[in-house]
Amino acid sequence: MIHHKILLALVIAAGIFLLVQPLHAEEQVQEELVYQTTFTTDPGWITNSPHSYYWDQAKGIYHYSIEPSTGSYAYIEVDHYDGPFTLEYDVTPQRTDDLATFRLGLSTKEMQRTRGTIALTEFANGKYGNLLWLHAVTPSNKLFEVSSQTFSYGETSGAKTVNFLDNKTYRVTVQYDDDRTMLTMRVVEKATGKEIWGYFFNTHESLRGMNRIFIGAVGDYSNMGPVAEGYIDNVKLSTQKTVTTTPTLVTTGETTVPVTRTTRPTTKPTTMAPAQTPTPTPASPVSPIIPLAALGIAASALCYCAIRQRQ
């Protein structure tokens, strides 16, 4: 009799296990917009030099004029302090004097080029011509930077020096992968969509506390006189958030609500293909055979128990 009771309990447990479908939670990485402006309206950026940094209402773009040792700046506060991010913008340098530099990046409230934390892109005119730079200072004030000059980024690969041109519009993308502490920059010709340069480095430390998108000369203590002047447009900052979702069972109809799966974008050196929209993957509906089978098992077990008791 004891063996029969044990068998009965196992059969009933199996029926309940089949009847109650397990719901598998999924982790998804989704892009979340932090800040975006197309400068079609006044963006409200704060500046200490209104004649150098201002919204050009007629053109629907933002003007900059950066001169060393002036301490000038323009910025907008954003709701982002930690974690991964993607910063994108268009820039059209019109005048980049010798020893002048355009800078745009994400930083702490100090906006200081020489102190952390900061992730900065630069269009600088120097010894090797108009070079592109990726520059970062970590919270512990460790400096990392690379330029589009061949001995800076292409020493091992033999890649050639890449120079930017004034009066040409470029799309700049800076991506930070917090899991791998990897910072990447790529520059694309806006008119052709051709990537002219891209590179990355590992900061070996998480970039924290950055809540300002800014342009300016803070931290540049070189001689006054040279000027970097032009326009920026289409500034966008986004981050990635991990969310946990559970497939929803649909009680009517034949399908469940599709669940869109988004993969965390990865950092690649030099050439990075544009992100593609993932195809929604529908979750499989609960088969009606399973609950029927479970009920059948449970009913058979009960009948078997009743027959054994009569015997």
Side-chain angles (χ1 to χ4, degrees):
M1 179 63 69
I2 294 177
H3 293 292
H4 294 314
K5 290 182 178 180
I6 293 174
L7 178 61
L8 174 61
L10 290 174
V11 172
I12 293 176
I16 294 173
F17 178 79
L18 290 173
L19 181 62
V20 181
Q21 287 281 299
L23 299 179
H24 300 283
E26 292 184 352
E27 283 193 348
Q28 301 178 18
V29 180
Q30 299 178 351
E31 180 182 90
E32 182 177 283
L33 183 64
V34 177
Y35 174 81
Q36 185 172 23
T37 180
T38 60
F39 296 105
T40 53
T41 58
D42 188 347
W45 286 31
I46 298 170
T47 179
N48 64 348
S49 183
H51 67 280
S52 298
Y53 308 93
Y54 56 85
W55 172 53
D56 190 321
Q57 183 176 5
K59 295 180 179 179
I61 49 182
Y62 197 84
H63 174 270
Y64 67 84
S65 180
I66 302 174
E67 183 180 358
S69 293
T70 60
S72 64
Y73 59 76
Y75 74 90
I76 187 72
E77 289 192 3
V78 292
D79 187 17
H80 179 82
Y81 291 88
D82 304 316
F85 67 82
T86 300
L87 176 62
E88 304 168 79
Y89 67 92
D90 295 339
V91 60
T92 307
Q94 291 191 322
R95 169 191 172 190
T96 312
D97 295 342
D98 188 26
L99 302 181
T101 303
F102 159 78
R103 301 181 184 89
L104 186 148
L106 192 63
S107 79
T108 57
K109 64 180 181 179
E110 288 77 17
M111 301 177 290
Q112 173 62 261
R113 182 184 185 274
T114 58
R115 293 203 301 267
T117 307
I118 194 169
L120 195 59
T121 61
E122 300 182 334
F123 284 58
N125 185 355
K127 181 178 179 180
Y128 298 99
N130 291 343
L131 294 181
L132 305 158
W133 287 81
L134 176 62
H135 173 102
V137 182
T138 68
S140 62
N141 286 324
K142 293 179 181 178
L143 169 66
F144 297 88
E145 62 180 4
V146 63
S147 79
S148 59
Q149 200 271 335
T150 182
F151 293 110
S152 178
Y153 86 103
E155 187 173 5
T156 57
S157 64
K160 296 181 180 180
T161 296
V162 176
N163 297 112
F164 70 89
L165 299 174
D166 285 343
N167 298 305
K168 180 174 284 191
T169 301
Y170 299 95
R171 182 67 176 174
V172 182
T173 302
V174 181
Q175 187 177 57
Y176 174 63
D177 184 335
D178 192 39
D179 291 338
R180 298 189 295 167
T181 61
M182 197 76 70
L183 190 67
T184 303
M185 175 181 176
R186 70 169 183 171
V187 182
V188 173
E189 288 183 351
K190 184 80 171 182
T192 64
K194 177 184 176 182
E195 181 173 317
I196 64 168
W197 186 71
Y199 211 69
F200 67 95
F201 51 69
N202 194 327
T203 62
H204 304 288
E205 181 182 352
S206 293
L207 302 180
R208 304 295 187 193
M210 299 184 294
N211 69 331
R212 289 186 179 185
I213 299 173
F214 84 102
I215 53 179
V218 180
D220 184 349
Y221 304 112
S222 55
N223 293 332
M224 295 180 66
V227 172
E229 185 174 11
Y231 295 94
I232 61 171
D233 199 3
N234 301 313
V235 178
K236 177 183 177 184
L237 177 66
S238 58
T239 186
Q240 294 83 42
K241 296 290 186 181
T242 301
V243 296
T244 303
T245 61
T246 303
T248 303
L249 300 181
V250 176
T251 55
T252 60
E254 298 182 355
T255 60
T256 60
V257 177
V259 177
T260 302
R261 304 178 187 273
T262 306
T263 305
R264 180 187 294 273
T266 57
T267 304
K268 300 180 182 178
T270 307
T271 303
M272 298 187 293
Q276 298 180 351
T277 303
T279 304
T281 304
S284 300
V286 178
S287 172
I289 297 176
I290 293 178
L292 291 176
L295 289 173
I297 292 173
S300 299
L302 292 174
C303 291
Y304 176 77
C305 180
I307 292 173
R308 292 298 302 176
Q309 288 178 350
R310 293 192 189 99
Q311 293 176 350

